[in-house]
Amino acid sequence: MAEPMTQPTAGAPPLRVLMVIGQFNPIIGGAEKQAEKLARALIALGVDVGVVTFAVKGAPRREIVGGVHVSRVGVLPAIRGGRLKLWVYLLQLFIFLIRRRRRYDILHAHLALAPALAAALAAKILKKPCIVKIGNTGERFDLLTLKNTFTAGPAMARSLARSASAFIATSAAAAEHLLEFGVPRESVRLIPNGVEILPPRESPTCPAGQTSLPQLKSRLGLPPDRLVVLFAGTLHKKKNTLRLLDACAALKDRRNGFLLVILGDGAMRRELEKKIASTGLREHCWIMGFVTNVEHWLAAADAFVLPSLVEGFPNALLEAMAAGLPCAASDLPGCRELISNGDNGLLFDPLDTADVARKIAELLDDPNLRKRLGDAARAAAREKFSIAAVADSYVSLYNSLVKR
C-alpha cells in the first residue's frame, strides 16, 4: 500500500465523519481499538472525526478521547436490560443521527450489526452516504450474526445489505461473505485494518527505549532466562486457549525453558486458571489479565501465538508482526491474509494440539528462525498495513461518496 498522499484542499472545510459503534473506549476490543486508531489517523490527515456509541456506567456522555469527540447515547433509566433496552438504544441512536445531521458529511459504522442498520437507515433518509466496516468472518460474520440475533434478523440483515453506500471488507474472506449475502460487488471495498509500526526494541523511540531484553523482562516481572511466548486476546472459546494450554503441557518438559504469557480477560479465565493448576503449568503459563501497556509486552516477548478457531482480520496478530515478533497462528483465512507460512510466520491446524505444539517448538528451538521470521513480519506489516496508509484509503473513499 502506498504512503499517504491525501491532503486537505486549501480553503475547503474539513471532511466531517461520524463513526457509529456499539461500544468504544473505555471498553476495549479489536473493533474498538481499530476505530480509535483510525479516528486518530484521520484527524492527522485533517478530517473532523466524531464517535457516537452506547452509554456505559461511569463514562461521561460527552468527552474527548485522544483528540476524538465521543458522544454516548443512553437508555431510559427505567430500562434495566434485555432486548427492550437495545431497541430503545437503537431508537435513541437513530434520533441522535437525525438531529445531528448538519454536523457530519458521512457516517462510518464499525461492525455490520444493529447500530449499523440504524446508521444506514438514518443516512438513507438524510441522503447522506454511510459505509459499514465488517469485523468478523466465518460463523461470526457480522450480517449472519445480525440475521440470527433477532426474530426480524433476516429482514434487518437484508435491509442493511441494501441501504449502506459501501461495505468495507478487511480481508478477501470478508469480501466473499458480503457477496454471498447479496451485497453488490461494486459496493464492496477491500481496506485492511491498520497498525502502528513500532520501532525495534533497540531504537530510542521504542516504547521500551534502549532497555536490553533481560532488563525489560525484569521490569515486567518476567524471568530473564526463559523464552517468552505471548498470547493477547479475549479469553473466550473462539480463541482456543484451552488447546493452547494442552500444547504447552506437551512442551513443559523441554530442556530449553519457556513461559507462555496470556494477556487478556474474559469468561474463560477461571476455567483456564483451573487447568493451569491441574496440569502443572503454573511455572510455564501466566495469565496477566487486561493490561494497558501491550507494546511493552510485545517488546519483551520472544514469539507470539494465536490459536483461534475463528478470526476475521486478527488485530493482535498484526500488532505482533508490526512489533517484529515471529508468529505462529491458526491456518485460517484471516491469518493467511497476514502470514505466508514459512516466509514471515508459521501456520498450524488449530484443532491439532500436536501441530500447535510443534510450531511453537520450532520457534523456541531456533533463534535464527525467530530472527528471520520476525524481520519479515515487520517488513510485511510496514509495507501493507500501516495505519497512516489505511487512513488515506478511507479519505479517498469518503471523498468519492460525499457530495460537497
Side-chain angles (χ1 to χ4, degrees):
M1 185 176 291
E3 287 301 309
M5 297 292 292
T6 301
Q7 297 293 335
T9 303
L15 184 67
R16 300 171 303 169
V17 177
L18 181 59
M19 293 185 174
V20 179
I21 187 168
Q23 55 189 30
F24 194 69
N25 191 317
I27 299 175
I28 301 296
E32 294 75 31
K33 288 172 65 176
Q34 273 296 313
E36 188 171 345
K37 286 181 181 179
L38 178 59
R40 291 177 180 179
L42 289 169
I43 290 171
L45 290 175
V47 180
D48 182 352
V49 181
V51 171
V52 58
T53 187
F54 187 24
V56 293
K57 187 177 181 180
R61 293 302 179 102
R62 305 282 187 273
E63 69 172 329
I64 298 177
V65 178
V68 183
H69 289 265
V70 179
S71 300
R72 295 188 174 87
V73 177
V75 298
L76 298 174
I79 306 293
R80 297 298 181 186
R83 193 61 54 84
L84 179 58
K85 180 177 178 179
L86 175 60
W87 285 113
V88 171
Y89 160 60
L90 293 175
L91 177 60
Q92 291 180 320
L93 172 61
F94 179 82
I95 293 172
F96 177 94
L97 296 175
I98 296 294
R99 287 179 173 174
R100 299 298 180 95
R101 59 188 177 276
R102 293 186 178 87
R103 301 189 185 183
Y104 58 86
D105 302 306
I106 186 170
L107 293 176
H108 180 160
H110 293 262
L111 303 177
L113 301 175
L117 177 59
L121 294 177
K124 194 169 185 177
I125 290 172
L126 298 171
K127 294 181 169 50
K128 291 178 180 284
C130 174
I131 69 170
V132 180
K133 180 185 174 187
I134 297 298
N136 297 283
T137 59
E139 63 185 22
R140 297 182 70 250
F141 174 58
D142 298 19
L143 287 174
L144 184 61
T145 299
L146 178 61
K147 176 182 177 182
N148 294 334
T149 300
F150 302 91
T151 303
M156 295 169 69
R158 288 194 300 271
S159 178
L160 179 54
R162 290 194 302 262
S163 301
S165 306
F167 281 89
I168 307 304
T170 56
S171 67
E176 285 302 315
H177 284 328
L178 285 167
L179 296 177
E180 291 168 1
F181 233 86
V183 176
R185 187 175 296 274
E186 61 271 18
S187 297
V188 179
R189 311 295 176 90
L190 186 60
I191 302 178
N193 282 342
V195 68
E196 297 166 341
I197 309 299
L198 297 179
R201 185 174 56 252
E202 296 77 13
S203 168
T205 57
C206 175
Q210 291 189 340
T211 306
S212 68
L213 182 57
Q215 289 173 323
L216 182 56
K217 286 185 175 181
S218 176
R219 183 188 302 172
L220 295 173
L222 297 169
D225 58 342
R226 309 271 288 279
L227 293 174
V228 175
V229 179
L230 190 69
F231 164 86
T234 53
L235 304 186
H236 293 160
K237 184 177 180 179
K238 67 171 184 172
K239 293 299 184 180
N240 203 26
T241 41
L242 285 174
R243 191 176 301 275
L244 179 58
L245 293 184
D246 287 336
C248 288
L251 295 171
K252 70 178 182 179
D253 295 328
R254 297 182 59 85
R255 186 171 56 191
N256 54 333
F258 76 96
L259 176 66
L260 171 67
V261 174
I262 295 177
L263 303 182
D265 215 332
M268 290 191 66
R269 178 166 181 169
R270 184 177 296 275
E271 184 178 358
L272 293 170
E273 290 173 337
K274 287 181 179 179
K275 181 155 188 169
I276 288 170
S278 65
T279 53
L281 284 174
R282 283 178 172 160
E283 296 300 316
H284 297 276
C285 180
W286 296 355
I287 299 179
M288 306 306 298
F290 174 77
V291 301
T292 58
N293 60 339
V294 175
E295 66 277 7
H296 288 85
W297 292 90
L298 290 170
D302 299 282
F304 183 87
V305 62
L306 185 70
S308 304
L309 298 172
V310 178
E311 284 289 350
F313 189 95
N315 295 314
L317 178 59
L318 179 56
E319 290 174 358
M321 293 175 66
L325 280 180
C327 300
S330 297
D331 190 2
L332 299 172
C335 297
R336 291 196 293 270
E337 295 279 333
L338 297 173
I339 288 182
S340 173
N341 189 39
D343 294 330
N344 63 348
L346 301 177
L347 296 173
F348 52 70
D349 180 353
L351 298 177
D352 185 342
T353 302
D355 194 28
V356 178
R358 185 162 48 248
K359 296 301 170 60
I360 294 174
E362 288 183 32
L363 295 179
L364 292 173
D365 290 343
D366 191 341
N368 292 326
L369 178 65
R370 293 198 299 273
K371 179 68 166 60
R372 178 175 69 80
L373 294 180
D375 289 347
R378 184 194 299 276
R382 181 187 299 112
E383 179 183 356
K384 298 179 181 180
F385 306 108
S386 75
I387 187 64
V390 166
D392 194 66
S393 296
Y394 274 105
V395 173
S396 296
L397 174 59
Y398 297 153
N399 284 326
S400 72
L401 296 173
V402 173
K403 297 176 182 179
R404 303 177 67 184

